[in-house]
Amino acid sequence: MSEGSKGSSLAFGQVVIGPPGSGKTTYCHGMQEFMGRIGRKVTVVNLDPANDAMPYQCAVDIAELITLPDVMENLKLGPNGGLIYCMEYLEANFDWLQEKLAAFRGHYYLFDCPGQVELYTHHDALKNVFAQLAKWNFRLAAVHLVDSHYCTDPGKFISVLCTSLSTMLHVELPHVNVLSKMDLIEQYGKLAFNLDYYTEVLDLSYLVDHLASDPFFRNYRRLNEKLVEVIEDYSLVSFVPLNVQDKESMRQVMQAVDKANGYSFGDQEHRSLEALMSAAVGADFHFTSTLAVQEKYVQSQDKALEEEAMDL
């Protein structure tokens, strides 16, 4: 993997990014298990210096180079400043990362990244790390996880759209936006619109109108209209729904990422994938045989409406 070597074999992978609590580590664990079952050799790389509890098998860990607690204690920095320092330190030690990754040639890579949003919208350290990986013939796609509970609040959803767009433009990688924790969305409350409105980011003027019905947001209608115009002018943001416990949902996300980074799997993996989708999975990793996420949500909404009608 020498820098600029055109003869080196290509390496494929995902950089898993998103705000704190969006499910990045859980996603890496689930995707490692899922890909392992279809015969893909997966290496998980932890680039989060604050991550000290990893459920997955971690092959490369930034903690061997630097940790956030050490930086905060020795340099008297807060958590945000400490994370930025850690990423700049990683950027200054590319040779360490290159040596660690070289031991896993031929593998598919999952990079579990920190949760500080500024690292993907303003700061250049991680962006430069991804660019360096590209020079080492890595073909990466960014998987941007967003907690699905933001869909239940129109104001927060507009904010998420702006953050997602800013991240896509700043990181400069093929991008797959994912609404995570879809299995929990029913606990967050009712959606103002059907789920595909949020995943496909359809006509956002309806969202602005819905916000204007709230006295607090009425005064900010013009601002929301301008934000929505920016999002729609770029026409880049859409989402793939994800329930990490649902194998069909995992397959859809994996195929979206494979399309984004150009990964083409062989016949053997295709046969393994077909077998996995048609057979029960072992008890060590519990995929639920649920319906598709959207169908499940719509059915629950219909049932709730029927119950309300009966009460009336």
Side-chain angles (χ1 to χ4, degrees), residues 162-234:
C162 291
T163 302
S164 299
L165 178 60
S166 179
T167 300
M168 294 175 75
L169 297 176
H170 185 74
V171 172
E172 297 179 347
L173 283 176
H175 218 86
V176 177
N177 293 303
V178 174
L179 282 176
S180 63
K181 305 180 184 179
M182 289 303 299
D183 52 319
L184 302 177
I185 192 170
E186 293 140 332
Q187 301 177 15
Y188 299 139
K190 293 183 179 180
L191 301 182
F193 306 99
N194 197 16
L195 187 60
D196 58 358
Y197 178 87
Y198 299 91
T199 56
E200 300 301 324
V201 188
L202 302 175
D203 188 351
L204 295 178
S205 62
Y206 294 106
L207 207 61
V208 175
D209 291 339
H210 187 75
L211 271 174
S213 64
D214 187 321
F216 177 80
F217 288 104
R218 193 173 299 143
N219 296 329
Y220 301 97
R221 183 185 180 101
R222 186 64 177 161
L223 172 62
N224 288 323
E225 287 176 345
K226 290 301 180 182
L227 291 174
V228 163
E229 284 180 15
V230 171
I231 295 165
E232 293 185 329
D233 284 347
Y234 277 96

Side-chain angles (χ1 to χ4, degrees), residues 46-256:
N46 176 43
L47 295 184
D48 184 357
N51 193 354
D52 57 358
M54 294 167 286
Y56 50 72
Q57 296 178 5
C58 182
V60 180
D61 190 355
I62 193 175
E64 299 176 17
L65 178 70
I66 192 170
T67 66
L68 180 60
D70 288 344
V71 169
M72 293 174 62
E73 180 180 353
N74 296 325
L75 299 181
K76 308 305 179 186
L77 293 173
N80 290 339
L83 271 174
I84 290 175
Y85 180 89
C86 289
M87 293 302 100
E88 291 176 344
Y89 192 82
L90 174 63
E91 182 185 2
N93 288 273
F94 279 141
D95 53 342
W96 174 85
L97 183 61
Q98 185 177 21
E99 180 182 351
K100 291 292 184 180
L101 295 177
F104 301 95
R105 295 179 187 274
H107 286 215
Y108 187 96
Y109 297 83
L110 297 173
F111 293 89
D112 189 1
C113 298
Q116 188 179 359
V117 175
E118 291 84 353
L119 291 172
Y120 313 112
T121 59
H122 298 85
H123 201 262
D124 286 337
L126 262 181
K127 174 184 175 181
N128 295 337
V129 171
F130 301 154
Q132 184 62 50
L133 288 169
K135 292 179 182 178
W136 294 338
N137 282 329
F138 277 77
R139 297 297 178 262
L140 301 173
V143 178
H144 183 218
L145 297 180
V146 175
D147 195 317
S148 60
H149 87 266
Y150 290 118
C151 295
T152 61
D153 186 320
K156 290 180 179 178
F157 187 66
I158 290 178
S159 175
V160 161
L161 291 174
C162 291
T163 302
S164 299
L165 178 60
S166 179
T167 300
M168 294 175 75
L169 297 176
H170 185 74
V171 172
E172 297 179 347
L173 283 176
H175 218 86
V176 177
N177 293 303
V178 174
L179 282 176
S180 63
K181 305 180 184 179
M182 289 303 299
D183 52 319
L184 302 177
I185 192 170
E186 293 140 332
Q187 301 177 15
Y188 299 139
K190 293 183 179 180
L191 301 182
F193 306 99
N194 197 16
L195 187 60
D196 58 358
Y197 178 87
Y198 299 91
T199 56
E200 300 301 324
V201 188
L202 302 175
D203 188 351
L204 295 178
S205 62
Y206 294 106
L207 207 61
V208 175
D209 291 339
H210 187 75
L211 271 174
S213 64
D214 187 321
F216 177 80
F217 288 104
R218 193 173 299 143
N219 296 329
Y220 301 97
R221 183 185 180 101
R222 186 64 177 161
L223 172 62
N224 288 323
E225 287 176 345
K226 290 301 180 182
L227 291 174
V228 163
E229 284 180 15
V230 171
I231 295 165
E232 293 185 329
D233 284 347
Y234 277 96
S235 190
L236 290 174
V237 184
S238 62
F239 295 94
V240 180
L242 171 66
N243 172 7
V244 78
Q245 297 297 327
D246 183 356
K247 61 185 179 182
E248 174 61 27
S249 179
M250 292 289 284
R251 181 185 68 84
Q252 290 176 357
V253 172
M254 184 189 73
Q255 291 182 335

Side-chain angles (χ1 to χ4, degrees), residues 250-269:
M250 292 289 284
R251 181 185 68 84
Q252 290 176 357
V253 172
M254 184 189 73
Q255 291 182 335
V257 177
D258 286 348
K259 184 178 180 181
N261 65 13
Y263 182 87
S264 178
F265 51 78
D267 290 340
Q268 181 59 48
E269 181 175 314

